[in-house]
Amino acid sequence: MASIKDVAAEAGVSVATVSRVLNDHPSVSEDARTRVLAAVQTLGYRPNAVARSLRTDQTRTLGLVISDVLNPYFTELARSVEEEARALGYSVIIGNADERPDLQDHHVRTLLDRRIDGLLVSPTDGGSPGMLDAARAGTPMVFVDRWIAGVDVPVVRADGRAAVRDLVAHLHGLGHRRLAIIAGPAATTTGSERVEAFREALAEYGIPLPDVYIGQGDFQAESGRRVTEGFLDLPEPPEVVFAADNLMALGALDAIRARGLRVPEDIALAAFDDIPWFVHTDPPITAIAQPTGELGRAAVRALIDRIEGRPPRSVTLPAHLVVRRSCGEPAPLPHSPVTNRSKS
Amino acid sequence: MASIKDVAAEAGVSVATVSRVLNDHPSVSEDARTRVLAAVQTLGYRPNAVARSLRTDQTRTLGLVISDVLNPYFTELARSVEEEARALGYSVIIGNADERPDLQDHHVRTLLDRRIDGLLVSPTDGGSPGMLDAARAGTPMVFVDRWIAGVDVPVVRADGRAAVRDLVAHLHGLGHRRLAIIAGPAATTTGSERVEAFREALAEYGIPLPDVYIGQGDFQAESGRRVTEGFLDLPEPPEVVFAADNLMALGALDAIRARGLRVPEDIALAAFDDIPWFVHTDPPITAIAQPTGELGRAAVRALIDRIEGRPPRSVTLPAHLVVRRSCGEPAPLPHSPVTNRSKS
DNA sequence: CTGAAAGCGCTTACAG
DNA sequence: CTGAAAGCGCTTACAG
C-alpha cells in the first residue's frame, strides 16, 4: 500500500506538502497541488486513517453500544445513528450487548481502546463498571433510549407516559380490568419506567397492578414466552398482557398460540415499540411507537456537540399509541367461538 | 489517558519492558512483571489500539459490509459474524449499504482506510469499483450470501435450489399454476439465482415463467409493494407470489391487504428467508429458511484463515422449506367466503 | 509557499 | 532479562 512518502517522491515534494494538499491547507502553490493530486491518482493513494488518528488524537468515529441487534427497534436506531453521523463526517462502530452487562462492558472497553471520539450507549443494566468509568473519565458520551441515573451524561429518549395513559384508556374503554405487564429488567430505565407509567395510568382508573401481574422479563423473546405462560397459569389470568418491548410481545404470542388461545378473544396483547410486522400479525398488534429515527439523529447531534466543544442538550420526544386490533377493537369478526377462557 | 510511558515510570522500568509484559513475552522477570501489572492497575492503563495497530500493521478487526441492516436476515448474519469473530479475537465493524452501490463503496473505502485486516461482503450489485479494487489489490476478502462472478474470492452462501424445488412441488400440489416471483436486483447473485431456481423448478412441471410474472424488486419492502400491485393489475393475475426476500414479502402483504384481498384464499404468498414473525402473520407464511448463523460463522472462519495465511475454503450450505399456511395448506378455516377473486 | 524535524503510542530487533 | 533506539504513517509548529 502506497504511503505518503511514495506520493511525495512521485510528486517531487516533501511529505509535509502532500499532507497539506490532502488536508486542504491554504498555503500550497497551485503547481504543488496539481502534482500531488496527480501522484495520488497514479498511486491510488489513500491516507492511513490509523496513522492519522494517532497523530491527531481523533478518530472521527463514534461508538454505539446497543442492547440487542436482533431487536428491530435498535436496528432502526442504529441505522439513523449511522446516517446522521455519516452526514456529519463521522463513522460509527456498533457494539451489540445482547442484553448482557459483560458483553456491554467488553464493547465499551474495546471501543475506548480504539479511541473513538464519543460513545452513544443504551445501557443494558444499572451500568457496567467499564461504562461508569468511561463516564467519570470524561469520555464524551450520550445515553440513548435507556439511561443511568446519577451519571452526568445527556440523555436522548422517548417519553412513553402519555402513550401508556392512552393505551390504558383504550383498554379500560374495552372493558378490560385485569391488566398485566411483561417488564424489562428493573435495572434498566425503560424496564422500570414502563411499569411505573402503567401503574400510574391504571391508578387513574382505580385499577391496581398486583405483583402477580408484573412479570419480570429481559426484553428478549424467550422471557416474554416464559412470563406469559406464568400469567396463563394463574388462577385468575389477566385479560390483557402489555409487553414492554416488541421481542417479548413475540414471545407472548408464541406462548398464547401454544395454548391454543386467541388474541384478543381470549387474551388481549399490546406492545411497547412498533414494528412494520405488527400490521400483519394475527391480529394486528396495538403498540406504542417511538420516534426512533429522530432519537438516533438527536443523539448523534448531542454527542457531536459534546465532542466539538458545544454544550450538548438532553432531548425527550413523545411516543404515541397506535391502536390496532389486538386488544379487541374495532369489534373483530366473531370467528371460532369455542374458547376455553372468557373475559370477566 | 495514561500512556505506556506513564506505566513505565510508575513501575520503574522501560517502556520496552512494559510492552513485553503486556504482550506476554516470555523473557520478563517475575519481579518486573508484578511491578508493571501493579502500575497498570493503579493507573487504569489501557493500551492504545491505534498506536499498536500502526506499529504492528494489524487491527484485529474485520469489516462486514451488508446490504441492509433493516433486513432481519442480515441482522442475524451480522450477529453471528460478530460472535464468531469475538471468539477468535477479532472485532467487527459493520457497514450498511442500504442496497446502494455508492454507499457500499463508501463503506468499503472507509473500512480499508481504517486498515481492517479483512473484509466480509455481501455485494449489493455487480461490484462497486472500490470493492473490485480491494479484491484485486489482494485485500483478504470473503463473500457471504451474495457474490460476484469472476473475482477470486471465497464464497460462503446457501444453496436454495432444492428448497425452491420443494416449494414449487408444494405449490403445484395445491393446484397453483400461475406462479409469479418478485426478484431481487439482477446484478446480485441472489437476485438472479432465485429466479433461475424458480424457473427451473417450474419447468419440471411444464409450467412457464412468463416475463409479466417476474417483477423486478430491490429486496426492500417498497419494491415488493409496487411489484405486487403490478401483478394484481394484470388481466390474469398470478395465483401465487413468491418474494425473493422477507422485506419484499412484507411489501407484498401491504399491497394485498390494501386491495382487501386475502392470503391464501385470493392469492398465495411465499418468501425466501424465514423470520420469527412469519409464525404469527395472518396467515403464517411459508418460507425458505437459510442456515444464517452457520453462514456467518463459516464466513468468519474462512476470512480469518485467509488473513492468517491458511487456505480459505468456500462453503455452500443448503436452505430448506418451511411450510406454513400462506399458500393454502393445510386447508385453512373457511372464514369470510366473500372474496372477489378465485383460484383457477 | 516549502521542507526538516519532532512526536503521537506503541513494538521489536539489537546489544548488552 | 533489560533498555535505548528505530520506525509504523501521518500532522504541524518552526524556520526560512
Side-chain angles (χ1 to χ4, degrees), chain A residues 26-62:
Chain A
S27 50
V28 183
S29 67
E30 206 37 58
D31 175 53
R33 179 179 310 278
T34 50
R35 268 159 50 216
V36 167
L37 260 18
V40 165
Q41 271 295 326
T42 74
L43 295 177
Y45 171 73
R46 302 234 86 211
N48 182 330
V50 174
R52 190 191 295 230
S53 292
L54 178 61
R55 179 55 228 245
T56 61
D57 200 33
Q58 58 168 358
T59 51
R60 295 206 67 94
T61 300
L62 271 24

Side-chain angles (χ1 to χ4, degrees), chain B residues 154-173:
Chain B
V155 180
V156 173
R157 67 187 191 98
D159 181 348
R161 241 157 337 162
V164 169
R165 210 151 38 216
D166 290 346
L167 172 64
V168 168
H170 169 64
L171 296 169
H172 185 269

Side-chain angles (χ1 to χ4, degrees), chain B residues 4 19-20 23 45 48 55:
Chain B
I4 196 171
S19 178
R20 287 197 191 92
N23 293 290
Y45 171 73
N48 181 330
R55 178 58 227 242

Side-chain angles (χ1 to χ4, degrees), chain B residues 151-218:
Chain B
V151 184
D152 184 28
V153 165
V155 180
V156 173
R157 67 187 191 98
D159 181 348
R161 241 157 337 162
V164 169
R165 210 151 38 216
D166 290 346
L167 172 64
V168 168
H170 169 64
L171 296 169
H172 185 269
L174 290 168
H176 297 304
R177 296 296 179 270
R178 295 199 310 273
L179 321 192
I181 184 169
I182 308 177
T188 169
T189 48
T190 48
S192 55
E193 278 174 356
R194 290 171 191 175
V195 174
E196 284 325 305
F198 195 54
R199 188 198 306 280
E200 283 166 24
L202 289 178
E204 290 180 23
Y205 291 90
I207 301 177
L209 181 59
D211 284 352
V212 288
Y213 281 3
I214 304 178
Q216 193 54 62
D218 62 5

Side-chain angles (χ1 to χ4, degrees), chain B residues 24-45:
Chain B
D24 284 318
H25 188 98
S27 48
V28 183
S29 68
E30 205 38 58
D31 175 54
R33 179 179 310 280
T34 51
R35 267 158 53 217
V36 167
L37 259 18
V40 164
Q41 269 296 326
T42 74
L43 295 177
Y45 171 73

Side-chain angles (χ1 to χ4, degrees), chain A residues 230-247:
Chain A
F231 286 155
L232 296 175
D233 284 338
L234 250 27
E236 198 166 44
E239 295 157 327
V240 179
V241 170
F242 174 36
D245 85 341
N246 70 75
L247 256 22

